[in-house]
DNA sequence: CATGAATGAGAATTCATTCAT
DNA sequence: AATGAATGAATTCTCATTCAT
């Protein structure tokens, strides 16, 4: 078995990571069963330890892979157009990524909330790039007068990610009933930008105004 | 003898619940140790099983108690004044409750995100009263023209609770740095009602309009 | 099962210790199997952990029990008569103790030689009482002129214990052929006191001087 | 090609044995890790199994090599002079050998004491040459009247080796404090030849009598 | 020969739960 | 009701050994 190496090994690793992602998604970090991962992936118990030092490291790797994919997607989102459009595009990219590995991201969110010394820093580290991209967009929005200026963009970026997360949670928690995955980007951005308050009299209360128009108050 | 026994029994139960709350808070649902709970409460391991059928039931009971307290607080919040004021008051009550048993509520949030067949329904059931109260307030807001009408109040209520949750998570995750507990109610309501978007030109864009004024569009 | 306690528990503990002694004797510290100990003793795997925190602690307890017995025997040896007689008596007590739990003491010797940070101190601590008793006897011998004075009694005591150990090892290693257990005390003392050298011409160079005689120089 | 391969093979073997010696010395037979040996030696795990059938066989080979070296040293010790001088020389050679591979010999001693069916015979076999040389010297001593005749030289030879071993053990166990390596040969021989007893009045009780002198009883 | 991935039998330990007293 | 000893399933991780390449 020795000399095929490299490609094969990478494949096995990938398969283990995928299986692990599913296992973590289904059972959480603690509940995941290392043996089950190996066997499900079609290998023997011990094999997993040829690839990952421990369950926690495996989890971290799974997380890293997921986040890398997400960042890639995020980065390919066009940063032009109005802030609203950008945010919707980012949220849509987010939804697309998460849709692919829904259960896995449930675990990410869940573990993020555990605030455990072992996992929290890992997760935060992996999430940083997202927030940075969002913040960038918001900063542009501030310059354009589309974003309120009485709060630091860093806080607002976190808030946006948080709103997205909340909607996912409600999506998951409702068994997908509401909000549906398709609704999430629009609703998140609307909620984030406009809030739930009734708009004071204005011609087109919600929805898309062209960027140019917006610029001139 | 009967009555004394009855009272004693209630007391033991209460003590067990309190100790269990702390244990769950410190170690999570899975990590909690039944033996430790019993011993810390001053009883033997077996005693717990005279009061609760299983660890999960114990958790559910603990949760129920916590939620009852919260509902009580919520209910005592005056429902008069502007919707904004009501929401701030509710959020403040929330903060107050959570502050008392912060660690425990972290666990609740975490477990809520697990979406486990065993725990999720339990938690949702316990949270329902909150959401109902929020929805009630929002419904009044709709009637008063303070709340947007293009979304069902049920959804908005969930969104509000979600925004609150997000801010808690960020509060916990940042080690209390931002937002601080004091900031949470105001910030949550502002974000919820107004969003992050720059307000289109309007006389008093944010804050505090009297209900009467708002009624006339 | 609860209230019988005390006596029963002590009995169970004793049974576990005995079984463990045999297991350690048969397989050494590393080779010993905790499960096997429990099952052999007639209990389930987990039971052992109700009595001992870990395998190592179990080992230490077994050792302690063995050493206590030995010290008891030692202490009951009469400290009167010539040093030679005392040493023979001590060695004979030693043989008697070790005979009872031969295999276990083999393990003690073996583990002592591992010089492992976890085990060595434990063993040394348990062996100290023996050496102290031997040293006491030798100190008396020095006073009586029976023991050479150019070496500290502490060193000589260790040497005596060592010689005994060597003879055991040879006894065990030879499958009991030589020296036999009966021979060990005499041979050890002879070797220890006189060495292997031919005695320089002297009336009755070795053996058996009456204490009274010796006292008068 | 054949010859080169042959030499190479011998070299690889040697390297593996050396690395293994260190590993066994550091971790004992059970604790030694085959993988670590291979990798440290610069080979892959499987390679070891091209040279040795099993970990145990590897251990036996390592042991054999160590003993061969020792025997070589022993054999080069001059067998002339008084028995005492010879023994001191042998013991010194022993110390020198052991000093080089201290940890390894600790393992030999330790495993010798395990009396395991798999290892004990191997070790005894390897030690035989030493004992034979010692016995030879003692036999000469008997002829010269330097050694007591009431014990078979075989037993005395074993006793001598044993005394040496004991002193090593005490040396190791004391962290080198006492006896120091330099002291061991003299002390071992003194203890072995004279014992701990006070010498009955005699001109030069211990130390260094010229061989000629001794010959005349 | 060398390689090193795969294997899978163990091993120690934890802990919720049961139940006799 | 309280107890706490007994249970045994479950889990993570180790590592000697095999064998296809």
């Amino acid at each position: 078995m020795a000399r095929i190496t490299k490609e094969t090994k990478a494949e096995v690793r990938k398969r283990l990571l995928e299986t692990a992602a599913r296992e973590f998604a289904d059972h959480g970090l603690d509940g995941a069963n290392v043996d089950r991962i190996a066997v499900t992936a079609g290998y023997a118990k011990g094999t997993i330890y040829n690839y990952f030092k421990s369950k926690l490291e495996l989890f971290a790797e799974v997380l890293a892979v997921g986040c890398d994919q997400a960042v890639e997607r995020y980065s390919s989102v066009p940063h032009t157009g109005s802030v609203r459009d950008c945010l919707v595009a980012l949220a849509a990219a987010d939804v697309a990524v998460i849709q692919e590995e829904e259960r896995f991201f449930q675990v990410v969110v869940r573990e993020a909330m555990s605030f455990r010394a072992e996992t929290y820093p890992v997760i935060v580290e992996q999430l940083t790039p997202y927030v940075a991209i969002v913040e960038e967009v918001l900063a542009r929005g501030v310059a354009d007068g589309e974003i309120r200026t009485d709060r630091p963009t860093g806080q607002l970026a976190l808030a946006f990610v948080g709103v997205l997360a909340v909607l996912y949670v409600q999506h998951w928690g409702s068994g997908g009933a509401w909000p549906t995955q398709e609704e999430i980007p629009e609703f998140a951005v609307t909620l984030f930008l406009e809030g739930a308050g009734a708009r004071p009299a204005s011609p087109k209360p919600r929805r898309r105004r062209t960027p140019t128009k917006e610029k001139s108050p």
Side-chain angles (χ1 to χ4, degrees), chain A:
Chain A
M1 270 128 185
R3 288 288 168 70
I4 334 164
T5 338
K6 282 199 171 163
E7 283 176 38
T8 302
K9 201 173 169 182
E11 263 171 48
V12 173
R13 196 186 139 92
K14 199 181 149 204
R15 183 134 45 116
L16 287 173
L17 283 170
E18 281 164 3
T19 315
R22 184 164 235 97
E23 175 78 11
F24 284 127
D26 288 346
H27 301 95
L29 176 51
D30 282 334
N33 180 315
V34 177
D35 285 4
R36 210 189 295 138
I37 294 173
V39 170
T40 303
Y43 297 94
K45 292 176 182 206
T47 298
I48 241 175
Y49 288 92
N50 292 334
Y51 290 81
F52 308 96
K53 220 171 51 204
S54 69
K55 184 177 170 176
L56 189 62
E57 196 198 278
L58 174 58
F59 180 75
E61 286 310 294
V62 167
L63 186 60
V65 169
C67 291
D68 282 353
Q69 287 175 1
V71 167
E72 214 173 322
R73 290 255 200 168
Y74 261 86
S75 304
S76 65
V77 168
H79 286 211
T80 58
S82 74
V83 168
R84 166 174 263 276
D85 291 342
C86 277
L87 290 178
V88 171
L90 281 175
D94 206 44
V95 167
V97 170
I98 289 183
Q99 188 160 24
E100 281 173 22
E101 285 292 351
E102 193 166 48
R103 310 275 299 133
F104 169 68
F105 282 96
Q106 286 181 12
V107 174
V108 174
V109 173
R110 186 196 323 173
E111 288 306 323
M113 319 229 106
S114 303
F115 307 110
R116 285 198 247 183
E118 309 118 310
T119 52
Y120 193 78
V122 176
I123 292 174
V124 165
E125 190 194 333
Q126 301 292 348
L127 291 180
T128 304
Y130 295 83
V131 183
I133 293 176
V134 172
E135 192 179 349
E136 205 179 309
V137 171
L138 293 179
R140 203 158 51 76
V142 166
D144 293 356
E146 285 184 78
I147 295 298
R148 64 196 303 167
T149 55
D150 58 346
R151 292 282 181 181
T153 50
Q155 290 183 8
L156 293 176
L158 282 172
F160 178 67
V161 172
V163 168
L164 258 180
V166 165
L167 293 184
Y168 282 125
V169 169
Q170 272 163 14
H171 169 69
W172 291 328
S174 69
W178 179 83
T180 63
Q181 251 171 344
E182 293 75 31
E183 291 174 301
I184 288 178
E186 262 293 322
F187 190 41
V189 173
T190 298
L191 211 54
F192 175 68
L193 289 179
E194 303 169 20
R199 292 262 116 184
S202 82
K204 311 146 190 161
R206 47 187 262 284
R207 283 295 145 119
R208 222 38 355 199
R209 343 146 215 201
T210 57
T212 46
K213 233 179 184 171
E214 283 307 282
K215 266 176 201 158
S216 56

